C-alpha cells in the first residue's frame, strides 16, 4: 500500500524566489500558462508503505512522471522494478487538469513539469533547471541527508532524472531515465554541474524504444551520447517499443539495480 501526503500549500508559481537567477526565466508559454523557467515548488508526494521508511538502509527511489500524468503512475510501476525499496513519487507542479475534475469527479489529475509537452532550445533549458531545482529542494526538505536517493523518471521525468545530475550530482547515488531526453545546456547557469559531473562516475540506466514517436531518434541518440561521456552509463534500446516502457526493460533494469547494489534482483 502507498499513501499520499501533502507537504506545502504555498503558491508553486512564486516568481519572486531569490534562488532562481533572472536570466533563467524566459518568455510566456502559449501551451501551459506561465513563463518558461519560472520557479516551481513540489507540493504533493505519494510514498511507499511506511511513509517511505520501511527499508531505510536501502536507497530511496524518487519517481518522476511524464507529461499529463500524476504521482500514481510511477508508484504503480515500482512494484515491478524494486518492490523491496522505498519510494517517493512526486507530482509535477504545473496543472493540466485538477484531480477530481473528470467526468465523474474521480480523476487523479494531469500534471506537467514543463510549460509544453516537449519544449526545445532555451525554453527547455529554463524549464529543466526550474523543475530540477524544485525537485532538489523537495529532497533537501524531506529526505535525510544520509539517505541515498536514486531518481527514476519517464519522458519529462526521464529528462529530470538526468538534469538533477547537472544541478546537484553529489546528492544522487545513481539515476534512471526511461524514454528521457536532454536539455541542450545553451542557457548559462541552467546546468551548473556539467563541467565536473563526469568526475563522479555516477551510474545511470538509460532505456528507450526504437519506435519512439514522441522523442525524435536523433534526440535519443544524443542523450545516450551525452550520458556516455558524463556518467557510468548502461544504455538499452528496445525493438518495437514506442514512447513507453516494457517488461523486458523492467527485467534489464532489475538486473542493473542488483549489479549496482541498489535493489535486490528478485521479485
Amino acid at each position: 500500500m502507498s499513501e499520499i501526503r501533502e507537504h506545502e500549500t504555498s503558491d508553486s508559481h512564486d516568481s519572486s524566489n531569490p534562488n532562481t537567477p533572472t536570466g533563467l526565466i524566459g518568455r510566456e508559454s502559449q501551451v501551459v500558462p506561465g513563463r518558461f523557467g519560472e520557479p516551481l515548488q513540489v507540493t504533493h508526494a505519494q510514498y511507499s508503505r511506511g511513509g517511505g521508511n520501511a527499508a531505510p538502509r536501502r536507497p530511496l527511489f524518487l519517481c518522476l512522471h511524464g507529461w499529463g500524468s500524476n504521482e500514481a503512475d510511477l508508484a504503480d510501476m515500482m512494484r515491478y522494478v524494486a518492490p523491496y525499496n522505498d519510494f517517493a513519487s512526486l507530482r509535477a507542479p504545473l496543472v493540466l487538469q485538477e484531480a477530481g475534475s473528470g467526468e465523474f469527479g474521480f480523476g487523479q489529475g494531469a500534471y506537467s513539469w514543463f510549460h509544453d509537452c516537449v519544449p526545445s532550445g532555451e525554453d527547455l533549458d529554463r524549464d529543466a533547471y526550474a523543475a530540477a531545482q524544485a525537485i532538489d529542494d523537495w529532497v533537501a526538505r524531506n529526505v535525510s541527508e544520509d539517505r541515498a536517493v536514486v531518481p527514476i523518471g519517464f519522458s519529462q521525468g526521464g529528462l529530470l532524472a538526468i538534469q538533477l545530475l547537472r544541478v546537484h550530482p553529489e546528492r544522487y547515488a545513481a539515476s534512471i531515465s526511461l524514454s528521457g531526453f536532454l536539455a541542450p545546456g545553451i542557457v548559462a547557469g541552467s546546468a551548473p554541474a556539467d563541467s565536473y559531473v563526469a568526475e563522479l562516475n555516477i551510474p545511470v540506466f538509460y532505456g528507450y524504444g526504437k519506435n519512439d514517436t514522441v522523442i525524435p531518434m536523433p534526440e535519443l541518440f544524443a542523450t545516450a551520447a551525452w550520458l556516455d561521456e558524463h556518467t557510468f552509463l548502461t544504455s538499452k534500446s528496445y525493438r518495437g517499443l514506442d514512447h513507453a516502457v516494457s517488461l523486458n526493460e523492467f527485467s534489464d533494469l532489475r538486473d542493473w539495480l542488483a549489479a549496482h547494489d541498489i535493489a535486490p534482483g528478485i521479485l
Side-chain angles (χ1 to χ4, degrees), residues 16-265:
S16 64
N17 187 334
N19 295 325
T20 299
T22 303
L24 289 172
I25 301 176
R27 66 183 181 91
E28 288 280 345
S29 168
Q30 302 303 309
V31 181
V32 178
R35 304 182 75 90
F36 289 98
E38 67 183 351
L40 304 173
Q41 186 178 59
V42 175
T43 61
H44 293 76
Q46 180 172 335
Y47 287 95
S48 54
R49 64 193 183 282
N53 282 302
R57 294 185 179 180
R58 296 193 185 115
L60 173 77
F61 285 92
L62 188 67
C63 303
L64 308 170
H65 65 76
W67 165 270
S69 189
N70 56 65
E71 66 276 15
D73 188 12
L74 266 66
D76 290 340
M77 187 185 78
M78 292 308 294
R79 71 176 183 269
Y80 296 106
V81 173
Y84 304 111
N85 284 63
D86 299 323
F87 68 77
S89 189
L90 307 187
R91 177 189 296 180
L94 299 173
V95 180
L96 306 179
Q97 179 177 302
E98 290 281 6
S101 61
E103 181 179 358
F104 301 103
F106 299 123
Q108 290 183 301
Y111 304 90
S112 176
W113 296 101
F114 305 151
H115 289 83
D116 200 346
C117 178
V118 185
S120 61
E122 294 186 359
D123 293 340
L124 180 54
D125 272 349
R126 292 187 169 101
D127 264 3
Y129 177 84
Q133 192 64 59
I135 295 164
D136 194 51
D137 289 345
W138 185 92
V139 171
R141 294 193 308 271
N142 293 282
V143 183
S144 172
E145 290 184 4
D146 61 357
R147 184 82 188 266
V149 178
V150 177
I152 176 171
F154 173 76
S155 193
Q156 287 188 357
L159 181 148
L160 290 169
I162 299 169
Q163 189 72 19
L164 287 168
L165 306 185
R166 307 176 73 184
V167 171
H168 189 188
E170 302 88 347
R171 183 64 186 91
Y172 302 98
S175 187
I176 301 159
S177 177
L178 307 176
S179 300
F181 50 115
L182 188 72
I186 55 179
V187 173
S190 63
D194 275 8
S195 62
Y196 68 88
V197 63
E199 300 170 9
L200 303 179
N201 207 30
I202 298 171
V204 170
F205 181 94
Y206 180 53
Y208 61 90
K210 290 187 175 180
N211 293 77
D212 196 317
T213 56
V214 175
I215 309 301
M217 198 57 58
E219 293 291 329
L220 297 170
F221 291 160
T223 301
W226 188 94
L227 288 169
D228 191 42
E229 183 178 349
H230 291 85
T231 70
F232 181 26
L233 176 65
T234 297
S235 181
K236 299 281 187 178
S237 59
Y238 300 90
R239 177 184 293 181
L241 184 65
D242 199 339
H243 194 64
V245 293
S246 70
L247 292 178
N248 285 339
E249 188 171 28
F250 290 165
S251 178
D252 288 338
L253 178 52
R254 286 195 300 270
D255 290 344
W256 179 85
L257 291 169
H260 287 279
D261 198 27
I262 296 169

